[in-house]
């Protein structure tokens, strides 16, 4: 057996990145929370994308949203709100003005308006 004490040795020095300290919780103002929750309730909103854009964990935003919905501070859209307004074909008539009521919106137009133009107006009102 040979004596390994006097033999040359090779050592490898291992380095490690320091362990990242835990992030301190951010104190979000109520106005900011309300704005983000309202944004998530819009039709077609992506909650995870909204959260990440604000530097927030999606689960936190889902939690705020769930808490707001259960407390009654906000309400989701109901089926009646999603109901599509339907209207018949519009024929121009010789009158001074036409009033059309769509929900809580009143559209007043002259009686000589072209039907295609009126349809565009009503579609714009429905999208708003």
């Amino acid at each position: 057996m040979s004596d390994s004490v006097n033999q040359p040795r090779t050592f490898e020095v291992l380095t490690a990145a320091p362990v990242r300290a835990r992030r301190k919780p951010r104190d979000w103002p109520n106005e900011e929370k309300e704005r983000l929750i309202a944004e998530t309730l819009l039709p077609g909103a992506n909650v995870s994308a909204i959260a990440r854009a604000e530097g927030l964990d999606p689960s936190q935003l889902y939690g705020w949203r769930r808490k707001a919905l259960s407390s009654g501070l906000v309400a989701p859209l109901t089926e009646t709100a999603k109901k599509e307004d339907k209207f018949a074909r519009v024929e121009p008539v010789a009158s001074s003005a036409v009033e059309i009521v769509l929900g809580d919106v009143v559209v007043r137009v002259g009686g000589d308006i072209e039907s295609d133009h009126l349809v565009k107006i009503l579609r714009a009102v429905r999208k708003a």
Side-chain angles (χ1 to χ4, degrees):
M1 231 178 184
S2 68
D3 186 13
S4 64
V5 174
N6 294 324
Q7 299 295 323
R9 297 183 188 173
T10 305
F11 293 97
E12 185 176 346
V13 178
L14 301 174
T15 59
V19 176
R20 205 173 78 199
R22 185 176 174 180
R23 262 190 315 172
K24 291 182 181 178
R26 182 174 167 187
D27 187 26
W28 289 82
N30 288 338
E31 295 80 23
E32 190 70 15
K33 288 181 186 179
E34 290 168 4
R35 182 186 65 80
L36 291 171
I37 292 168
E39 203 173 319
T40 65
L41 295 173
L42 295 174
N46 183 333
V47 178
S48 295
I50 293 169
R52 288 189 188 104
E54 296 291 331
L56 181 66
D57 193 64
S59 64
Q60 182 67 55
L61 186 53
Y62 275 111
W64 291 345
R65 183 179 173 192
R66 188 172 39 253
K67 187 175 179 182
L69 288 170
S70 67
S71 69
L73 293 176
V74 294
L77 294 175
T78 61
E79 290 301 319
T80 56
K82 292 180 185 176
K83 189 177 114 181
E84 193 172 307
D85 294 328
K86 297 187 184 220
F87 50 91
R89 182 177 174 89
V90 178
E91 297 292 333
V93 294
S95 68
S96 59
V98 176
E99 226 177 70
I100 301 170
V101 179
L102 291 171
D104 59 344
V105 177
V106 178
V107 179
R108 291 184 183 96
V109 294
D112 57 347
I113 189 168
E114 293 181 20
S115 59
D116 292 337
H117 188 66
L118 181 58
V119 168
K120 289 178 186 176
I121 292 171
L122 294 176
R123 285 188 180 142
V125 169
R126 287 175 49 204
K127 286 182 182 178

